Amino acid sequence: MSDDAVIDDLQTAEESRYRVARRVTVIGAIVNLLLAIIKIVLGWIGHSQALIADGIHSLSDLISDGVVLVASKHGSRDPDPEHPYGHGRIETLATVIVGVLLFMVTAGILYDASLRLLEPEKLLTPGWLALAAAVVSVIAKEILTRYTLAAAKRIRSSLLRANAWHHRSDAISSVVVIIGVGGSMAGLPYLDAVAAIFVALMIAKIAWDLSWEGVRDLIDTGLDAETVERIRQVIMSVEGVEAMHMLRSRRLGADAFVDVHIMVDSMLSVSEGHLISEKVRARLVRELKDVSDVTVHIDPEDDEEVIPSVGLPMRSKLLAALNDEWSGIEHAAKAERIILHYLDGKVHLEVVLPVAVAESREAQKQLSSALHEGAKRLQYVGEVRIYYH
């Protein structure tokens, strides 16, 4: 596939991502709703506080499914004048919201379970119905987790991955519920409340991980060191790239953006330098699945610390000064092209003249010498090369 085709396929891929995320999330929402009803009802009938807490956890999964659906829809919209980089931040923000929802679930479960432990007369003894519901929940949620994680990996969705871990937290909490219910049925009624506390702590850990990851993306944290090194290797493998610096990266939803300065031969044409930058962009998009766009700045010299040519005059001012210095030189005004190279704090000149102005070698030598001497009277002028054609 050509480099241009790779870049053109990005828009189609974005539409496909939304369709996959919507299908997976709707299936998850249906499963979560059924499990929440089963666990809360059977937890109440079977006298299991841990199972009721687990059912509430499933309801929080249902809420997060709704957040995922809304965020996926709006986050996949194309860039517009107000959002030139797209709407990927919506997905990142939604990931943080899912984490906050989990923290709220954690606080409620911890509060209720702690009260029951402090007042033993409120402890309940669950039965076989609660145990069976917990087993069904573990199986269903683990299947849903694997299904969602596979989709998240395929479409590179951090939000879908967050929701998958939300499902996994429900599966893990149901395992703890099985232990708590089984212990309570064996004559240790406090184990059900203890299990509820363990469920809450596991949910809190997942909530922290999701929220922290989302916040890092919102403040434009760079990509991990391994990915950055891979980016460096790809850039340096492009023909014409002599060096690179000022490599920066950031995430925007599922996509990563890269900015980089590359050094090329200082005497290349603008079009060749541009071609090299396009090759860098296309190769990074093709070889790193998370990278969706790259901004490449072409440098003819290393400007990482200083830009030695920034104080030099622009073309119009420089040509005016040259005309003053060359005013007494015959044929100087007949120059067809003057190419400027801003390097090492100097302006280097390439002057192209028609051969008709000085047909003999001696005449060319004299004219070139006069032009050279006049130009060098300007302190910011470096090399001066005269060509005849």
Side-chain angles (χ1 to χ4, degrees):
M1 182 181 293
S2 67
D3 293 337
D4 291 338
V6 171
I7 295 172
D8 291 340
D9 281 347
L10 289 176
Q11 290 184 336
T12 303
E14 193 64 30
E15 295 174 358
S16 177
R17 287 182 70 248
Y18 170 61
R19 289 195 297 269
V20 172
R22 181 179 58 188
R23 182 178 66 252
V24 172
T25 306
V26 168
I27 293 174
I30 294 172
V31 173
N32 284 327
L33 178 60
L34 293 175
L35 286 177
I37 294 173
I38 291 172
K39 286 190 282 190
I40 292 174
V41 171
L42 294 186
W44 178 70
I45 296 174
H47 306 296
S48 173
Q49 180 193 10
L51 188 59
I52 294 174
D54 204 22
I56 296 173
H57 185 195
S58 292
L59 281 179
S60 75
D61 275 354
L62 188 60
I63 296 173
S64 71
D65 288 334
V67 173
V68 171
L69 279 174
V70 173
S72 297
K73 179 179 180 179
H74 293 284
S76 63
R77 288 158 51 195
D78 293 334
D80 55 41
E82 293 184 354
H83 307 90
Y85 290 96
H87 300 78
R89 284 278 188 257
I90 295 176
E91 186 172 321
T92 304
L93 180 61
T95 302
V96 177
I97 293 175
V98 171
V100 172
L101 288 174
L102 284 173
F103 272 124
M104 295 171 63
V105 171
T106 298
I109 295 174
L110 283 175
Y111 177 77
D112 188 64
S114 299
L115 284 182
R116 290 185 182 275
L117 283 176
L118 292 174
E119 301 178 43
E121 66 276 6
K122 292 186 178 181
L123 291 174
L124 304 173
T125 302
W128 287 104
L129 280 176
L131 188 63
V135 171
V136 170
S137 176
V138 170
I139 297 173
K141 295 298 290 194
E142 184 59 25
I143 293 173
L144 188 57
T145 297
R146 292 173 182 265
Y147 174 59
T148 307
L149 279 175
K153 182 178 181 180
R154 187 166 71 253
I155 66 173
R156 300 180 297 107
S157 172
S158 59
L159 179 57
L160 207 56
R161 182 166 57 87
N163 209 32
W165 282 110
H166 203 162
H167 296 323
R168 174 63 59 79
S169 73
D170 209 2
I172 295 173
S173 67
S174 294
V175 172
V176 178
V177 169
I178 292 173
I179 297 172
V181 170
S184 296
M185 292 173 65
L188 301 172
Y190 63 86
L191 279 184
D192 188 62
V194 171
I197 292 175
F198 271 106
V199 170
L201 294 177
M202 286 186 292
I203 296 172
K205 172 61 168 59
I206 293 171
W208 169 258
D209 291 342
L210 294 180
S211 300
W212 178 239
E213 181 180 344
V215 169
R216 281 168 54 86
D217 286 350
L218 286 174
I219 60 175
D220 284 340
T221 302
L223 301 177
D224 61 272
E226 182 179 348
T227 302
V228 171
E229 180 57 32
R230 176 60 181 151
I231 291 173
R232 290 182 183 276
Q233 293 173 0
V234 171
I235 292 174
M236 293 306 300
S237 70
V238 176
E239 181 182 352
V241 177
E242 296 183 349
M244 57 167 289
H245 56 270
M246 294 181 68
L247 173 61
R248 297 178 298 176
S249 62
R250 60 191 175 95
R251 283 201 172 275
L252 191 64
D255 299 323
F257 291 80
V258 176
D259 301 322
V260 65
H261 286 223
I262 64 171
M263 284 181 57
V264 300
D265 188 326
S266 60
M267 305 303 285
L268 292 182
S269 67
V270 172
S271 59
E272 186 175 357
H274 176 70
L275 175 64
I276 293 172
S277 73
E278 286 298 295
K279 291 295 184 182
V280 168
R281 182 170 73 101
R283 189 168 296 182
L284 283 174
V285 170
R286 184 177 67 241
E287 298 192 16
L288 285 93
K289 63 181 182 178
D290 288 347
V291 175
S292 63
D293 196 19
V294 184
T295 300
V296 183
H297 180 91
I298 297 294
D299 289 332
E301 58 186 351
D302 190 349
D303 63 355
E304 187 171 11
E305 296 183 0
V306 295
I307 306 178
S309 301
V310 72
L312 297 176
M314 296 291 287
R315 172 176 284 272
S316 60
K317 186 176 181 180
L318 187 145
L319 291 183
L322 280 176
N323 286 334
D324 289 341
E325 298 298 333
W326 290 346
S327 59
I329 302 174
E330 187 180 6
H331 304 309
K334 295 181 180 179
E336 295 181 347
R337 190 189 326 165
I338 299 178
I339 302 171
L340 310 180
H341 299 283
Y342 290 83
L343 301 168
D344 304 320
K346 296 284 187 178
V347 184
H348 307 280
L349 310 180
E350 291 184 17
V351 183
V352 181
L353 290 157
V355 72
V357 301
E359 295 183 352
S360 69
R361 184 173 297 275
E362 183 62 28
Q364 290 178 2
K365 184 177 180 180
Q366 291 177 359
L367 179 55
S368 296
S369 177
L371 293 172
H372 186 275
E373 290 177 6
K376 293 294 286 185
R377 284 194 288 270
L378 300 173
Q379 62 180 2
Y380 46 76
V381 171
E383 291 186 34
V384 181
R385 297 178 181 180
I386 313 298
Y387 300 98
Y388 298 90
H389 79 95

